[in-house]
Amino acid sequence: MEAARKKLTRVLSRTFISNVKDKAQRVMGSGSSFKGLAKYSTSAAAVVKDYEDYRKSLYGDITHKALLVDAVGTLVVPSQPMAQIYRQIGEKYGVEYSEDEILRRYRWAYGQPWGRSRLRYVNDGRPFWQYIVSSSTGCSDTQYFEELYNYYTTEKAWHLCDPDAEKVFEAIKKAGVKLAVVSNFDTRLRPLLRALNCDHWFDAVAVSAEVAAEKPNPTIFLKACELLEVKPEDAVHVGDDRRNDIWGARDAGCDAWLWGSDVHSFKEDSITRTSHNEMETGMQFLQGN
């Protein structure tokens, strides 16, 4: 019975999103104008209300007790373009490809099926990243790979997407909301969060290399909820990838918001009233301008 309910939830969720996409396409069309954008804004507001009503029909009044946050692209971003770093570090090892060529080859390699294991990131992810680096640069030098691999574990390689994130997360935790990172990453994620001095913001970290499941597999979201001791329907996930973050979280039964669209920043002045140490107004505490 429970399995049937979860399957029905996934089907309804996908049907709902398809209707949303159709609505947006009807509003915008191919030749968008200022008037069309204004209509879309009105439609988007209606879509948000429709989704809130949809979740209420499943779970009753919505009270988020946990916030799940994607890592790369939402919490942190590379400080310099990948291709630039690959070339800069690689010059002394004989890498001659241009940054454009490295980027093209990287995208091709990353998009290929990874046949050596079920997951791309197993433990420290070295075999996968060795394949990516050598495919992108044409260089298989072990010292080059190790220097590049270790660079991406340091605070030099990354910075926070939102400089106000710490204040906001502190306020959210004081309101009684639990926090977790949910990321497709290898075992370097934890030392990276420590290097950026943000590991203490979170009550739990669910990283694919440890959970043995990669987004959009619902398992990784369910593991995060288990670590936080909350039900999936009481959690909301924020991420920048529609397939991995939005579809995956909703298939697990969580609420989900797309970074850069539904949410633009973790703004402290967007946090609303609290009661009994719980946020009362759903995702209002995260919505940006």
Side-chain angles (χ1 to χ4, degrees), residues 35 111 124 130 141 168 175 242 283:
K35 183 180 292 185
D124 60 13
Q130 284 174 328
D141 188 292
V168 179
R242 190 175 298 277
M283 271 301 297

Side-chain angles (χ1 to χ4, degrees), residues 107-128:
R107 287 173 172 169
W108 178 87
Y110 202 89
Q112 298 306 301
W114 177 240
R116 293 182 58 178
S117 64
R118 181 172 59 87
L119 303 174
R120 292 176 298 176
Y121 311 128
V122 176
N123 297 322
D124 60 13
R126 269 186 166 81
F128 174 75

Side-chain angles (χ1 to χ4, degrees), residues 40-288:
Y40 178 73
S41 296
T42 302
S43 176
V47 165
V48 170
K49 184 179 185 304
D50 287 346
Y51 182 66
E52 289 176 350
D53 291 343
Y54 159 74
R55 280 187 57 81
K56 284 182 179 179
S57 72
L58 293 176
Y59 308 120
D61 290 337
I62 303 172
T63 301
H64 294 114
K65 299 178 181 178
L67 168 63
L68 314 180
V69 182
D70 169 50
V72 179
T74 305
L75 180 64
V76 300
V77 289
S79 296
Q80 292 178 268
M82 172 277 303
Q84 181 179 330
I85 295 299
Y86 276 35
R87 177 165 173 76
Q88 283 180 356
I89 296 178
E91 284 180 344
K92 60 185 175 183
Y93 296 100
V95 173
E96 297 180 349
Y97 290 147
S98 67
E99 291 179 22
D100 287 342
E101 179 66 9
I102 290 173
L103 180 60
R104 184 189 69 79
R105 293 170 66 95
Y106 177 95
R107 287 173 172 169
W108 178 87
Y110 202 89
Q112 298 306 301
W114 177 240
R116 293 182 58 178
S117 64
R118 181 172 59 87
L119 303 174
R120 292 176 298 176
Y121 311 128
V122 176
N123 297 322
D124 60 13
R126 269 186 166 81
F128 174 75
W129 286 115
Q130 284 174 328
Y131 159 73
I132 293 294
V133 171
S134 62
S135 298
S136 302
T137 64
C139 180
S140 300
D141 188 292
T142 302
Q143 286 185 311
Y144 168 51
F145 170 75
E146 288 299 325
E147 184 174 346
L148 194 60
Y149 181 89
N150 292 328
Y151 168 80
Y152 279 104
T153 315
T154 69
E155 69 279 8
K156 294 179 181 179
W158 307 89
H159 66 269
L160 296 170
C161 282
D162 187 344
D164 293 325
E166 181 175 11
K167 294 179 181 178
V168 179
F169 287 145
E170 285 179 353
I172 290 174
K173 288 188 75 171
K174 288 180 180 178
V177 177
K178 297 180 179 180
L179 299 170
V181 174
V182 180
S183 177
N184 287 350
F185 213 105
D186 52 60
T187 51
R188 290 176 296 173
L189 181 59
R190 292 181 187 274
L192 171 60
L193 295 178
R194 287 195 295 269
L196 292 171
N197 196 32
C198 64
D199 59 313
H200 61 284
W201 300 353
F202 302 97
D203 301 295
V205 175
V207 56
S208 61
E210 298 172 356
V211 177
E214 294 177 354
K215 298 181 293 184
N217 189 328
T219 299
I220 191 169
F221 298 97
L222 295 174
K223 182 61 177 180
C225 292
E226 176 187 329
L227 291 171
L228 295 178
E229 298 182 330
V230 299
K231 296 178 181 178
E233 58 265 31
D234 291 330
V236 57
H237 176 72
V238 178
D240 67 315
D241 188 289
R242 190 175 298 277
R243 176 177 176 270
N244 286 346
D245 293 304
I246 305 307
W247 289 118
R250 288 178 178 167
D251 279 351
C254 302
D255 201 353
W257 295 77
L258 186 65
W259 180 264
S261 178
D262 304 313
V263 181
H264 299 277
S265 66
F266 300 110
K267 288 176 61 100
E268 186 170 13
D269 58 12
S270 294
I271 296 178
T272 57
R273 70 185 187 279
T274 61
S275 175
H276 304 295
N277 289 328
E278 293 181 355
M279 305 305 295
E280 288 188 333
T281 52
M283 271 301 297
Q284 289 181 9
F285 64 87
L286 278 175
Q287 289 177 331

Side-chain angles (χ1 to χ4, degrees), residues 5-19 51 54 57-58 247 251:
R5 185 191 69 79
K6 289 182 178 179
K7 182 176 181 180
L8 178 61
T9 298
R10 288 196 295 271
V11 171
L12 289 174
S13 178
R14 291 184 183 277
T15 301
F16 172 81
I17 298 300
S18 296
N19 291 338
Y51 182 66
Y54 159 74
S57 72
L58 293 176
W247 289 118
D251 279 351

